[in-house]
Amino acid sequence: MPETHLVTGAAGFIGFHLANRLLKEGHRVIGFDSVTEYYDPVLKRRRLEILGKQEGFDFVEEALETPGALDALFSHVRPAMVWHLAAQAGVRYSLEAPESYLQSNITGTFRLLEAARAHPPRHLMLASTSSVYGANGKMPYAETDRADWQMSFYAATKKATEAMAHSYAHLYGLPTTMFRFFTVYGTWGRPDMAYFKFAERIMAGRPIDIYNHGDMSRDFTYVDDLVEGLIRLGGAVPPAPGARGAPIPGDSLSPVAPWRVVNIGNSAPVKLMDFVAALERALGRKAKYNFVGMQPGDVPATWADASLLEALVGALPRTPLEVGLRHFAEWYLMEYHKPEPVA
């Protein structure tokens, strides 16, 4: 049955894909985004243009942290589902502008939680990140593993939002699912992400920086697979204490609140140099390499244990890396690539 869904960060990479999927399923979608200049706002406007051409989409351009903005919106539209994807993203940028993370990720999420407390949705879905696992060396990462040693301020703010949301779920009975993303890639992506930067430099004939001298791996997750996981997970509302059946092995369900955290990843880490080779094939160009050391705040590897996700929603599609990068390359070359002028 069609419902009203609020998607914060609707002009962003994942928010755009999620909103697009919800619209195609016949839901009304309220997009909320401040359209910052952290990366190319023209790209964000183009995403919004695509969403705006579809029936059922409305957009509010405002910052999360603006006092009263979210509360007024919640009271007006009363969303059945809330998908909180808006955030100041990026590990490396958090070294340069940490206060923007404090405002958007902490204060902004607080404003959202307050609005949800006053006007409770059926299910509150909040984005976290695999970066919260930080210095935990156990692989693959499971939701019940310790996540206490964040390596960047970005990761620290996202871990804080998990704790904040848990407290609201406990105090006000808000059914809440936190989802930890693992290196999402695909069409209409973010220019600040490594694969996007690689594509730009490869096509321009400039060397790409290979961190930790190539000794890195990531659990790359294609955006369409991620959105499918989110849609299914939206239907898996965490039950309140006292209303639970048989426990699910490895569940992160809180003992005192209708709250859980779930990994969304491909469960198949790929070595960085293998990823670059696949991107080269997709673009039809060879890269020039500049091998450098590890960046502050970064981790050498990520690997999701997705068994809880599959226990909750069933087996998910896993787009092969070659296929996902081919889709990205086709979009990038047709829609975004700007050839440098010949001198």
Side-chain angles (χ1 to χ4, degrees), residues 200-224:
E200 290 182 315
R201 288 183 168 271
I202 289 171
M203 296 308 298
R206 299 198 301 271
I208 62 175
D209 289 336
I210 303 293
Y211 293 109
N212 204 32
H213 303 281
D215 186 16
M216 301 184 75
S217 64
R218 290 289 183 268
D219 197 344
F220 293 100
T221 309
Y222 189 62
V223 66
D224 288 355

mmCIF file of all heavy atoms in Angstrom, residues 200-224:
data_model
loop_
_atom_site.group_PDB
_atom_site.id
_atom_site.type_symbol
_atom_site.label_atom_id
_atom_site.label_comp_id
_atom_site.label_asym_id
_atom_site.label_seq_id
_atom_site.Cartn_x
_atom_site.Cartn_y
_atom_site.Cartn_z
ATOM 1 N N GLU A 200 38.095 9.901 -12.985
ATOM 2 C CA GLU A 200 38.446 11.230 -13.491
ATOM 3 C C GLU A 200 39.910 11.302 -13.893
ATOM 4 O O GLU A 200 40.257 11.837 -14.955
ATOM 5 C CB GLU A 200 38.126 12.284 -12.428
ATOM 6 C CG GLU A 200 36.640 12.497 -12.199
ATOM 7 C CD GLU A 200 36.352 13.582 -11.184
ATOM 8 O OE1 GLU A 200 37.018 13.603 -10.125
ATOM 9 O OE2 GLU A 200 35.460 14.402 -11.435
ATOM 10 N N ARG A 201 40.772 10.760 -13.033
ATOM 11 C CA ARG A 201 42.212 10.839 -13.306
ATOM 12 C C ARG A 201 42.627 9.905 -14.448
ATOM 13 O O ARG A 201 43.488 10.250 -15.256
ATOM 14 C CB ARG A 201 43.001 10.534 -12.037
ATOM 15 C CG ARG A 201 42.919 11.675 -11.019
ATOM 16 C CD ARG A 201 43.752 11.411 -9.774
ATOM 17 N NE ARG A 201 43.864 12.619 -8.976
ATOM 18 C CZ ARG A 201 44.812 13.537 -9.121
ATOM 19 N NH1 ARG A 201 45.749 13.361 -10.059
ATOM 20 N NH2 ARG A 201 44.848 14.612 -8.376
ATOM 21 N N ILE A 202 42.040 8.734 -14.496
ATOM 22 C CA ILE A 202 42.359 7.810 -15.581
ATOM 23 C C ILE A 202 41.998 8.439 -16.926
ATOM 24 O O ILE A 202 42.791 8.416 -17.880
ATOM 25 C CB ILE A 202 41.619 6.465 -15.384
ATOM 26 C CG1 ILE A 202 42.233 5.692 -14.213
ATOM 27 C CG2 ILE A 202 41.698 5.625 -16.660
ATOM 28 C CD1 ILE A 202 41.434 4.462 -13.794
ATOM 29 N N MET A 203 40.823 9.028 -17.014
ATOM 30 C CA MET A 203 40.387 9.615 -18.278
ATOM 31 C C MET A 203 41.190 10.857 -18.643
ATOM 32 O O MET A 203 41.315 11.208 -19.819
ATOM 33 C CB MET A 203 38.893 9.950 -18.211
ATOM 34 C CG MET A 203 37.984 8.731 -18.059
ATOM 35 S SD MET A 203 38.285 7.436 -19.292
ATOM 36 C CE MET A 203 37.889 8.314 -20.806
ATOM 37 N N ALA A 204 41.747 11.527 -17.626
ATOM 38 C CA ALA A 204 42.556 12.721 -17.877
ATOM 39 C C ALA A 204 44.029 12.386 -18.090
ATOM 40 O O ALA A 204 44.840 13.279 -18.369
ATOM 41 C CB ALA A 204 42.408 13.707 -16.723
ATOM 42 N N GLY A 205 44.374 11.104 -17.927
ATOM 43 C CA GLY A 205 45.766 10.705 -18.091
ATOM 44 C C GLY A 205 46.658 11.085 -16.934
ATOM 45 O O GLY A 205 47.887 11.130 -17.078
ATOM 46 N N ARG A 206 46.055 11.366 -15.781
ATOM 47 C CA ARG A 206 46.824 11.729 -14.595
ATOM 48 C C ARG A 206 46.940 10.526 -13.656
ATOM 49 O O ARG A 206 46.044 9.668 -13.620
ATOM 50 C CB ARG A 206 46.171 12.899 -13.853
ATOM 51 C CG ARG A 206 46.070 14.164 -14.689
ATOM 52 C CD ARG A 206 45.831 15.396 -13.813
ATOM 53 N NE ARG A 206 44.622 15.278 -13.024
ATOM 54 C CZ ARG A 206 43.414 15.662 -13.436
ATOM 55 N NH1 ARG A 206 43.246 16.154 -14.669
ATOM 56 N NH2 ARG A 206 42.361 15.553 -12.650
ATOM 57 N N PRO A 207 48.018 10.443 -12.881
ATOM 58 C CA PRO A 207 48.186 9.295 -11.990
ATOM 59 C C PRO A 207 47.149 9.281 -10.877
ATOM 60 O O PRO A 207 46.678 10.332 -10.429
ATOM 61 C CB PRO A 207 49.610 9.472 -11.426
ATOM 62 C CG PRO A 207 50.064 10.820 -11.811
ATOM 63 C CD PRO A 207 49.171 11.360 -12.854
ATOM 64 N N ILE A 208 46.795 8.085 -10.439
ATOM 65 C CA ILE A 208 45.879 7.919 -9.308
ATOM 66 C C ILE A 208 46.688 7.541 -8.073
ATOM 67 O O ILE A 208 47.673 6.816 -8.155
ATOM 68 C CB ILE A 208 44.800 6.855 -9.601
ATOM 69 C CG1 ILE A 208 45.422 5.475 -9.827
ATOM 70 C CG2 ILE A 208 43.970 7.254 -10.809
ATOM 71 C CD1 ILE A 208 44.398 4.362 -9.992
ATOM 72 N N ASP A 209 46.292 8.080 -6.934
ATOM 73 C CA ASP A 209 46.963 7.767 -5.677
ATOM 74 C C ASP A 209 46.491 6.406 -5.169
ATOM 75 O O ASP A 209 45.285 6.182 -4.988
ATOM 76 C CB ASP A 209 46.663 8.830 -4.619
ATOM 77 C CG ASP A 209 47.351 10.152 -4.912
ATOM 78 O OD1 ASP A 209 48.375 10.132 -5.627
ATOM 79 O OD2 ASP A 209 46.866 11.198 -4.426
ATOM 80 N N ILE A 210 47.430 5.513 -4.942
ATOM 81 C CA ILE A 210 47.133 4.180 -4.419
ATOM 82 C C ILE A 210 47.633 4.140 -2.973
ATOM 83 O O ILE A 210 48.836 4.053 -2.716
ATOM 84 C CB ILE A 210 47.824 3.080 -5.249
ATOM 85 C CG1 ILE A 210 47.407 3.167 -6.714
ATOM 86 C CG2 ILE A 210 47.526 1.714 -4.665
ATOM 87 C CD1 ILE A 210 45.954 2.834 -6.978
ATOM 88 N N TYR A 211 46.708 4.220 -2.029
ATOM 89 C CA TYR A 211 47.071 4.326 -0.621
ATOM 90 C C TYR A 211 47.554 2.991 -0.050
ATOM 91 O O TYR A 211 47.182 1.913 -0.529
ATOM 92 C CB TYR A 211 45.897 4.862 0.189
ATOM 93 C CG TYR A 211 45.565 6.297 -0.141
ATOM 94 C CD1 TYR A 211 44.403 6.631 -0.833
ATOM 95 C CD2 TYR A 211 46.443 7.325 0.192
ATOM 96 C CE1 TYR A 211 44.113 7.950 -1.161
ATOM 97 C CE2 TYR A 211 46.168 8.648 -0.137
ATOM 98 C CZ TYR A 211 45.000 8.950 -0.807
ATOM 99 O OH TYR A 211 44.729 10.261 -1.139
ATOM 100 N N ASN A 212 48.368 3.130 0.984
ATOM 101 C CA ASN A 212 48.990 1.979 1.650
ATOM 102 C C ASN A 212 49.713 1.090 0.638
ATOM 103 O O ASN A 212 49.799 -0.124 0.818
ATOM 104 C CB ASN A 212 47.952 1.161 2.426
ATOM 105 C CG ASN A 212 48.576 0.362 3.560
ATOM 106 O OD1 ASN A 212 49.560 0.782 4.173
ATOM 107 N ND2 ASN A 212 48.014 -0.800 3.835
ATOM 108 N N HIS A 213 50.218 1.728 -0.421
ATOM 109 C CA HIS A 213 50.974 1.039 -1.468
ATOM 110 C C HIS A 213 50.185 -0.129 -2.071
ATOM 111 O O HIS A 213 50.767 -1.142 -2.495
ATOM 112 C CB HIS A 213 52.323 0.570 -0.922
ATOM 113 C CG HIS A 213 53.151 1.694 -0.355
ATOM 114 N ND1 HIS A 213 53.869 2.561 -1.138
ATOM 115 C CD2 HIS A 213 53.307 2.120 0.932
ATOM 116 C CE1 HIS A 213 54.470 3.465 -0.361
ATOM 117 N NE2 HIS A 213 54.135 3.226 0.897
ATOM 118 N N GLY A 214 48.857 0.016 -2.074
ATOM 119 C CA GLY A 214 47.999 -0.994 -2.698
ATOM 120 C C GLY A 214 47.556 -2.108 -1.783
ATOM 121 O O GLY A 214 46.729 -2.942 -2.176
ATOM 122 N N ASP A 215 48.090 -2.144 -0.561
ATOM 123 C CA ASP A 215 47.746 -3.228 0.362
ATOM 124 C C ASP A 215 46.464 -2.866 1.118
ATOM 125 O O ASP A 215 46.467 -2.614 2.326
ATOM 126 C CB ASP A 215 48.898 -3.470 1.341
ATOM 127 C CG ASP A 215 48.665 -4.685 2.232
ATOM 128 O OD1 ASP A 215 47.784 -5.498 1.878
ATOM 129 O OD2 ASP A 215 49.347 -4.814 3.271
ATOM 130 N N MET A 216 45.362 -2.828 0.389
ATOM 131 C CA MET A 216 44.068 -2.496 0.962
ATOM 132 C C MET A 216 42.993 -3.351 0.309
ATOM 133 O O MET A 216 43.163 -3.817 -0.828
ATOM 134 C CB MET A 216 43.723 -1.008 0.757
ATOM 135 C CG MET A 216 44.725 -0.045 1.353
ATOM 136 S SD MET A 216 44.195 1.683 1.180
ATOM 137 C CE MET A 216 42.925 1.781 2.439
ATOM 138 N N SER A 217 41.898 -3.554 1.006
ATOM 139 C CA SER A 217 40.752 -4.238 0.424
ATOM 140 C C SER A 217 39.480 -3.633 0.984
ATOM 141 O O SER A 217 39.460 -3.121 2.113
ATOM 142 C CB SER A 217 40.805 -5.745 0.697
ATOM 143 O OG SER A 217 40.714 -6.008 2.088
ATOM 144 N N ARG A 218 38.427 -3.700 0.187
ATOM 145 C CA ARG A 218 37.144 -3.131 0.575
ATOM 146 C C ARG A 218 36.010 -4.072 0.173
ATOM 147 O O ARG A 218 36.090 -4.761 -0.847
ATOM 148 C CB ARG A 218 36.921 -1.764 -0.104
ATOM 149 C CG ARG A 218 37.805 -0.645 0.406
ATOM 150 C CD ARG A 218 37.398 -0.221 1.801
ATOM 151 N NE ARG A 218 38.169 0.896 2.312
ATOM 152 C CZ ARG A 218 39.276 0.774 3.035
ATOM 153 N NH1 ARG A 218 39.765 -0.430 3.289
ATOM 154 N NH2 ARG A 218 39.899 1.851 3.495
ATOM 155 N N ASP A 219 34.952 -4.057 0.976
ATOM 156 C CA ASP A 219 33.755 -4.834 0.677
ATOM 157 C C ASP A 219 32.845 -3.948 -0.177
ATOM 158 O O ASP A 219 31.909 -3.331 0.319
ATOM 159 C CB ASP A 219 33.067 -5.237 1.989
ATOM 160 C CG ASP A 219 32.080 -6.366 1.794
ATOM 161 O OD1 ASP A 219 31.706 -6.629 0.647
ATOM 162 O OD2 ASP A 219 31.673 -6.978 2.794
ATOM 163 N N PHE A 220 33.153 -3.870 -1.478
ATOM 164 C CA PHE A 220 32.423 -2.991 -2.385
ATOM 165 C C PHE A 220 30.994 -3.483 -2.583
ATOM 166 O O PHE A 220 30.759 -4.662 -2.854
ATOM 167 C CB PHE A 220 33.135 -2.907 -3.733
ATOM 168 C CG PHE A 220 34.472 -2.221 -3.675
ATOM 169 C CD1 PHE A 220 35.652 -2.955 -3.633
ATOM 170 C CD2 PHE A 220 34.547 -0.834 -3.649
ATOM 171 C CE1 PHE A 220 36.884 -2.322 -3.586
ATOM 172 C CE2 PHE A 220 35.781 -0.192 -3.593
ATOM 173 C CZ PHE A 220 36.947 -0.938 -3.559
ATOM 174 N N THR A 221 30.033 -2.559 -2.459
ATOM 175 C CA THR A 221 28.618 -2.897 -2.542
ATOM 176 C C THR A 221 27.964 -2.050 -3.615
ATOM 177 O O THR A 221 27.996 -0.810 -3.547
ATOM 178 C CB THR A 221 27.923 -2.638 -1.189
ATOM 179 O OG1 THR A 221 28.660 -3.271 -0.141
ATOM 180 C CG2 THR A 221 26.499 -3.161 -1.207
ATOM 181 N N TYR A 222 27.368 -2.698 -4.615
ATOM 182 C CA TYR A 222 26.725 -1.949 -5.698
ATOM 183 C C TYR A 222 25.438 -1.314 -5.184
ATOM 184 O O TYR A 222 24.681 -1.920 -4.433
ATOM 185 C CB TYR A 222 26.437 -2.868 -6.881
ATOM 186 C CG TYR A 222 25.967 -2.109 -8.100
ATOM 187 C CD1 TYR A 222 26.791 -1.159 -8.704
ATOM 188 C CD2 TYR A 222 24.705 -2.323 -8.646
ATOM 189 C CE1 TYR A 222 26.376 -0.446 -9.827
ATOM 190 C CE2 TYR A 222 24.284 -1.614 -9.770
ATOM 191 C CZ TYR A 222 25.127 -0.673 -10.344
ATOM 192 O OH TYR A 222 24.702 0.040 -11.444
ATOM 193 N N VAL A 223 25.188 -0.076 -5.612
ATOM 194 C CA VAL A 223 24.119 0.730 -5.022
ATOM 195 C C VAL A 223 22.738 0.089 -5.183
ATOM 196 O O VAL A 223 21.903 0.174 -4.283
ATOM 197 C CB VAL A 223 24.150 2.167 -5.574
ATOM 198 C CG1 VAL A 223 23.811 2.198 -7.062
ATOM 199 C CG2 VAL A 223 23.239 3.076 -4.777
ATOM 200 N N ASP A 224 22.463 -0.567 -6.309
ATOM 201 C CA ASP A 224 21.155 -1.195 -6.486
ATOM 202 C C ASP A 224 20.943 -2.338 -5.491
ATOM 203 O O ASP A 224 19.824 -2.555 -5.004
ATOM 204 C CB ASP A 224 20.996 -1.724 -7.910
ATOM 205 C CG ASP A 224 20.830 -0.609 -8.935
ATOM 206 O OD1 ASP A 224 20.735 0.569 -8.529
ATOM 207 O OD2 ASP A 224 20.800 -0.911 -10.140
#
